[in-house]
Amino acid sequence: MLLCVGNFFGSTSDTDWTEYHTGAKKAPIPTFVLGANNQETMRYFPDISGCELAENITYLGRRGLFSSTSGLQIAYLSGTESQDEPAPAYSFSSKDVTELKTSLLSTPNFRGVDILLTSPWPRDVGSFANSPGEIDTKKCGSTLISDLAASLKPRYHFAALEKAYYERLPYRNHTVLQETPQHVSRFIALADVGNKSKKKYLYAFSIVPMSLMDPAELVKQPQDVTENPYRKLRKEAQKTKALMCAEEEPACQFFFDLNKHQGKKRPSDGKERGNSQPKQAKKPSQPTGPCWFCLASPEVEKHLVVSIGTHCYLALAKGGLLPDHVLILPIGHYQSVVDLSSEVMEEVTKYKSALKEFFRSKGKRYVLFERNYRSQHLQLQVIPVPLDCTSEEIKESFITQAQEQQIDLLEIPEHSDITQVAQPGTPYFYVELDTGEKLFHRIRRSFPLQFGR
């Protein structure tokens, strides 16, 4: 197949095009094109949502995913970036990008697409890479397309509006040592057809669809792989979003302090804590798709929420082992305890001591566990057991169960912390009793998901 990016219709294409349009000429192979990038060429596209323009020549549409008969997944976005809503028919807006991302990222087990087609270049694509020549990638291109490429993780991304040839070194789609290895992405920009400088405008390649590849083969990292060029842009976007959310938060959020001293306000700027430098808050990461536990997410089952703090909240477990089985969860998106910033950790500790006191008043004690494996958002499962279950009996039952399943569940020395034995990104299973005793297992391959239950 032939895939065309950039402007498919040139300024003098009327006579040439008529021959294809009338059927006098026929495209020799299936040809797929993107839509108009300006008002002048809009007239060539009778249906803005996609249609056949001539025999063997198909206009893909404004945005979407095309799946070939072989299973190849081709995501596409037509037009140039527009700040207006609604965008002109030859442009796309942030709403178009969000809708395209949402439709694909919500697909179960989404790993990425084989090919992404856009007309403009993504902004900042040259970061950490070989030089794109005269093109300044910090000024040209679209930040919306950078965000789309970062989310969709295409194996190949083609663009053409800068009329220059640039084959960027492949870049990673994961953070080394913190995330599971993923396939690399290759960005290739093409010059305009028949240009006088004889810059490359055609790129021929063969590709096996991702869905048919051996996973180990797919994630092989080439020697010349670089960092992801869009990470900085995304962090800045997340920072802006967080600031906007923070401005809106007081209207819809509840605040309280479990350890409030009468007559003294809770310190708000770090100055009253006895240190002149306030601690730097660690920014929560962003979920890769819909998250059931981020408090701001529409997926949260709010009727289960028991109490909301400044950084954490308490909720009943949806499939609780007992009616008073509760979860301690961070309000923002953190994957595990070892990712938490100091102030979030401080509030987790307050919730633990409040629950200990509550359960003891009911003649119970709690067992807490966390499974940082195949989970997106930190969930500390807190399960009450009768007070006459001794901590030795509880530990023994966990260790016996672990031995039966060839799991090394080791006791962490007293006064040691889980952050001292696990690095961010390390999968693990962890048990804590209300006496402070802890058991830990570093997950190396697989782990039974229901083990804690």
Side-chain angles (χ1 to χ4, degrees):
M1 59 166 71
L2 173 66
L3 304 170
C4 301
V5 289
N7 294 314
F8 182 66
F9 293 99
S11 51
T12 57
S13 52
D14 270 15
T15 46
D16 292 342
W17 178 241
T18 306
E19 291 186 274
Y20 287 96
H21 198 51
T22 55
K25 276 188 177 177
K26 179 190 162 185
I29 56 170
T31 302
F32 297 91
V33 310
L34 292 179
N37 292 308
N38 51 48
Q39 189 60 55
E40 295 76 55
T41 51
M42 279 296 301
R43 59 199 172 94
Y44 293 109
F45 300 91
D47 183 349
I48 199 163
S49 58
C51 57
E52 192 175 65
L53 300 178
E55 192 178 353
N56 252 358
I57 301 178
T58 305
Y59 158 50
L60 289 165
R62 284 193 72 162
R63 61 168 193 268
L65 182 74
F66 172 78
S67 297
S68 74
T69 48
S70 65
L72 201 66
Q73 302 253 287
I74 303 169
Y76 56 88
L77 181 67
S78 289
T80 53
E81 182 179 329
S82 165
Q83 301 300 322
D84 302 327
E85 285 284 4
Y90 54 85
S91 294
F92 58 85
S93 65
S94 58
K95 189 180 172 200
D96 289 306
V97 171
T98 304
E99 285 177 9
L100 179 54
K101 277 166 50 180
T102 307
S103 66
L104 294 177
L105 296 177
S106 58
T107 316
N109 306 321
F110 177 79
R111 288 181 298 166
V113 295
D114 292 302
I115 297 170
L116 173 62
L117 306 176
T118 63
S119 287
W121 287 28
R123 178 74 58 91
D124 261 0
V125 68
S127 298
F128 312 118
N130 46 320
S131 166
E134 294 165 19
I135 308 295
D136 183 353
T137 61
K138 292 197 183 311
K139 291 179 183 168
C140 85
S142 159
T143 50
L144 288 177
I145 287 178
S146 304
D147 181 40
L148 184 67
S151 300
L152 299 193
K153 303 181 177 71
R155 292 164 65 201
Y156 284 88
H157 178 185
F158 295 98
L161 276 194
E162 299 301 326
K163 300 185 176 180
Y165 170 69
Y166 174 49
E167 186 167 354
R168 191 201 185 281
L169 290 171
Y171 63 83
R172 286 188 198 94
N173 282 303
H174 65 277
T175 307
V176 179
L177 300 177
Q178 286 187 27
E179 295 172 327
T180 314
Q182 297 185 44
H183 60 269
V184 300
S185 290
R186 290 175 162 83
F187 172 75
I188 295 149
L190 297 169
D192 42 339
V193 175
N195 66 84
K196 287 172 185 165
S197 315
K198 296 192 174 172
K199 292 176 192 160
K200 192 170 177 177
Y201 62 83
L202 191 66
Y203 184 89
F205 69 113
S206 60
I207 182 171
V208 175
M210 192 188 291
S211 54
L212 304 177
M213 282 188 75
D214 171 54
E217 194 64 35
L218 177 67
V219 301
K220 267 190 182 168
Q221 305 291 299
Q223 291 269 302
D224 54 357
V225 68
T226 77
E227 278 306 304
N228 191 306
Y230 313 125
R231 194 152 278 146
K232 190 179 166 195
L233 270 179
R234 294 193 99 190
K235 276 182 184 166
E236 283 168 7
Q238 283 160 16
K239 204 183 282 179
T240 311
K241 199 173 174 185
L243 286 170
M244 285 164 72
C245 291
E247 283 169 17
E248 292 165 13
E249 201 172 35
C252 60
Q253 190 58 276
F254 306 98
F255 290 95
F256 66 89
D257 185 14
L258 290 170
N259 205 8
K260 190 188 265 179
H261 301 292
Q262 286 305 111
K264 189 179 177 190
K265 273 176 72 180
R266 189 177 69 229
S268 57
D269 57 2
K271 285 176 187 163
E272 294 172 47
R273 292 192 182 119
N275 59 348
S276 56
Q277 288 295 316
K279 285 179 190 169
Q280 286 297 306
K282 185 178 172 186
K283 294 280 184 291
S285 60
Q286 293 302 303
T288 51
C291 180
W292 301 97
F293 299 104
C294 284
L295 195 55
S297 164
E299 276 82 12
V300 166
E301 307 228 9
K302 293 190 169 62
H303 66 284
L304 296 172
V305 175
V306 176
S307 146
I308 303 173
T310 312
H311 305 289
C312 305
Y313 71 101
L314 199 67
L316 289 170
K318 194 176 178 184
L321 293 167
L322 296 157
D324 44 4
H325 173 174
V326 290
L327 309 178
I328 303 173
L329 306 124
I331 289 171
H333 189 79
Y334 292 91
Q335 190 172 331
S336 71
V337 160
V338 294
D339 291 315
L340 296 180
S341 62
S342 54
E343 55 266 60
V344 184
M345 196 64 219
E346 205 177 303
E347 198 168 278
V348 166
T349 308
K350 284 182 186 178
Y351 266 120
K352 283 183 196 170
S353 59
L355 285 171
K356 178 178 178 176
E357 204 177 314
F358 167 70
F359 285 131
R360 289 287 169 112
S361 74
K362 303 287 180 193
K364 299 172 187 176
R365 67 186 323 159
Y366 74 65
V367 179
L368 175 150
F369 68 82
E370 179 200 357
R371 170 174 54 80
N372 179 30
Y373 172 73
R374 295 202 180 169
S375 58
Q376 199 183 4
H377 189 112
L378 164 62
Q379 301 156 58
L380 294 177
Q381 310 273 347
V382 185
I383 294 107
V385 295
L387 202 49
D388 56 10
C389 286
T390 67
S391 53
E392 285 310 311
E393 285 171 339
I394 296 168
K395 285 192 292 186
E396 193 183 328
S397 65
F398 268 100
I399 291 164
T400 306
Q401 184 71 22
Q403 283 169 347
E404 283 176 19
Q405 303 197 37
Q406 281 84 51
I407 293 166
D408 297 322
L409 200 56
L410 307 170
E411 188 158 0
I412 299 175
E414 208 180 340
H415 308 304
S416 288
D417 189 57
I418 185 167
T419 53
Q420 293 169 275
V421 291
Q423 292 295 313
T426 307
Y428 61 81
F429 177 81
Y430 151 73
V431 184
E432 185 179 317
L433 308 189
D434 64 359
T435 53
E437 294 163 279
K438 303 177 185 80
L439 302 171
F440 177 83
H441 167 66
R442 181 176 278 107
I443 299 169
R444 301 198 185 276
R445 288 185 188 83
S446 61
F447 186 79
L449 299 185
Q450 302 301 328
F451 178 78
R453 292 174 71 85

